[in-house]
Amino acid sequence: MAGLSSLTLSEMRAGLDRGSFTSLDLTRACLENAERFKDLNAFITLCPETALSQAAEKDALLAKGDRSPLLGIPLAIKDLILTKGVTTTAGSKILNNFIPPYDATVTTLLKQAGAVIIGKTNLDEFGMGSSNENSAFGPVKNPWDTARVPGGSSGGSAVAVAAGIVPVALGTDTGGSIRQPASFCSIVGIRPTYGRVSRYGVVAYASSLDQVGTFARTVRDAASILTIISGLDRHDSTSVNLPVPNYEACLGQEIEGLRIGIPKEFFIKGTNPEVEQSVRAGIAHLTTLGAVTVEVSLPALEYALACYYIIAPAEASSNLSRYDGVRYGNRASNPEDLDDLYSRSRSEGFGKEVKRRILIGSHVLSTGYYDAYYLHAQKVRSLIAQDFKRVFEQCDIIACPVAPTTAFKIGEKTSDPLEMYLSDIFTIPVNLAGLPGMSLPCGFDGQHLPIGMQLIGKPFDEGTLLKVGHAFESTTDWHKQTAKVFAE
Ligand code: GLN
């Protein structure tokens, strides 16, 4: 049994407050487990010394009666999110020596709430990928079957939680990077509405799609982290000035009469039948709790994948132009001239998939192609958003699969980018429309690989997602099963 580090956040909170153990005990246990499961490659950087000294400080505060919500709780942060003084690589060689001079707003909020950050988790380079195989620091292994991928791009955060190394971890989701790995690893993952959480200090991939969210082993833990990281930030003009509910207070409410939209476009040929069956069974379970289902249709969804793979690379090609070898990051040695410095610093620093995205992005934005691709994709994006808006007049949430398959084998899709992009078919529409989405454990396939159910909400209605998620979780056992390595 994995011990203290495998407790949930609420169990840790209760134990710390009761004095059953200290933050130092918890932090040591988490670091020991990180070491024990080193082969999973979930972390790029571990910070044992700072974590232990922070834990000791938190214990002193606890003794003084301080009751900050995360006081003394160890957790992990995706290495795409800046942490002052701690290397932040974005999973890329181009930033392998980058030590940020400031914290991302979400990092600050976690620290202010009293968290102990034990390390930075592995990811696909700059968040570009669906399997974590595009990391300059090696692939991450799925704790349910170490020959398989954990999903991506936030694979390290998902595995850190699924393997019982930390109770919660932050991720980012541009096209599914929280929900898909949560589904592959049988944990809870929530991507909030665009604008709900500040993106300040988060390495930009596709700025109109990026959003920070969290992984947890229970809906309650996800709700408590979301309450802490949400809200307006004057450093991010896209963050929204709306009151932040106490999301934990949404849990435990009835779902009687709640209307669940079932979009036929999300139940298509090509989806693994076991995935479809489990998701349908999950929806049927929600109806036994009083929810009702409504058939809905989102016709523009057919174009979502194509639309995303124009917009995301376009924004990426622009965002990534800052890595020039001059101000920070990899700098080529002995450049002949400025052009040589730029091109060699970038060629050496970026991996294959990132280069592919920069090429696609530059192409779709170039004169003559802008109208045909980028502008067109933006129009399609509006149609997709309108479809959701219309459908949300008929229902309160949408339920569907997270991904068409369960976790695939490491190496299985690396030679075919299109195959890999198809993993995102059910997650990217949510990002294009800027909506909140959640992944919940809802079953296993014949090989005992996890299956996730996706719940999609109205803008800024994370509370309903969490309420439904909690109702589901409290009456099912899927989330109680733990990954093979975790149980050893
Ligand atoms: N897999 C998608 C991509 O490669 C989404 C990644 C993400 O959400 N960061 O773009």
Side-chain angles (χ1 to χ4, degrees), residues 78 80 124 126-131 134 152-154 172-180 205 210 308-309 312 353 357 420-421 423-424 427-428 431:
K78 183 179 185 179
L80 197 65
D124 284 300
F126 287 101
M128 297 175 194
S130 314
S131 68
N134 299 335
S153 66
S154 320
T172 63
D173 188 315
T174 304
S177 280
I178 292 177
R179 289 159 289 155
Q180 185 249 26
Y205 162 12
D210 297 342
Y308 174 88
Y309 277 101
E353 182 62 25
R357 306 272 178 119
M420 190 70 91
Y421 297 170
S423 317
D424 307 324
T427 47
I428 55 168
N431 303 69

Side-chain angles (χ1 to χ4, degrees), residues 118 129 165 196 213 252 259 276 419:
I118 73 151
I165 298 172
R196 177 79 292 186
R259 296 165 306 164
E276 177 166 344
E419 248 318 284

Side-chain angles (χ1 to χ4, degrees), residues 30 35 171 173 190 292 298 308 368 408 413:
C30 291
E35 201 53 46
D173 188 315
I190 183 157
V292 291
L298 297 148
Y308 174 88
F408 43 90
K413 297 190 183 196

Side-chain angles (χ1 to χ4, degrees), residues 217-417:
R217 285 194 298 275
T218 65
V219 173
R220 179 171 300 281
D221 288 358
S224 61
I225 294 296
L226 193 61
T227 308
I228 290 160
I229 61 172
S230 295
L232 176 71
D233 176 15
R234 66 180 182 84
H235 292 304
D236 175 3
S237 59
T238 62
S239 73
V240 171
N241 190 9
L242 280 175
V244 178
N246 175 353
Y247 289 113
E248 275 191 83
C250 305
L251 313 181
Q253 296 169 10
E254 291 288 315
I255 65 161
E256 183 72 46
L258 180 109
R259 296 165 306 164
I260 306 177
I262 316 291
K264 58 173 193 278
E265 293 81 2
F266 275 98
F267 292 87
I268 47 172
K269 233 175 68 198
T271 301
N272 171 339
E274 289 174 294
V275 169
E276 177 166 344
Q277 247 168 39
S278 292
V279 173
R280 287 203 187 274
I283 296 168
H285 179 74
L286 287 171
T287 64
T288 66
L289 303 176
V292 291
T293 57
V294 196
E295 281 283 332
V296 294
S297 172
L298 297 148
L301 227 59
E302 190 184 340
Y303 308 106
L305 197 71
C307 173
Y308 174 88
Y309 277 101
I310 291 173
I311 293 174
E315 294 185 18
S317 70
S318 161
N319 276 327
L320 269 50
S321 63
R322 72 190 64 172
Y323 304 100
D324 54 7
V326 176
R327 287 161 295 182
Y328 47 77
N330 178 58
R331 184 185 182 90
S333 51
N334 306 319
E336 276 169 27
D337 54 26
L338 191 59
D339 274 344
D340 185 43
L341 173 70
Y342 288 159
S343 67
R344 276 204 292 121
S345 299
R346 289 168 67 81
S347 315
E348 291 164 9
F350 290 137
K352 201 167 140 198
E353 182 62 25
V354 172
K355 287 179 184 159
R356 184 180 355 253
R357 306 272 178 119
I358 293 174
L359 285 173
I360 296 172
S362 308
H363 180 71
V364 299
L365 288 173
S366 59
T367 321
Y369 293 100
Y370 180 93
D371 288 358
Y373 292 110
Y374 186 72
L375 199 63
H376 223 88
Q378 290 292 16
K379 290 179 183 164
V380 173
R381 182 176 186 175
S382 303
L383 293 178
I384 293 168
Q386 282 166 23
D387 270 3
F388 275 109
K389 201 161 176 228
R390 188 180 36 75
V391 160
F392 276 127
E393 285 163 11
Q394 300 159 252
C395 62
D396 304 302
I397 60 161
I398 289 170
C400 57
V402 178
T405 66
T406 51
F408 43 90
K409 290 240 167 74
I410 294 176
E412 190 180 321
K413 297 190 183 196
T414 37
S415 57
D416 186 349

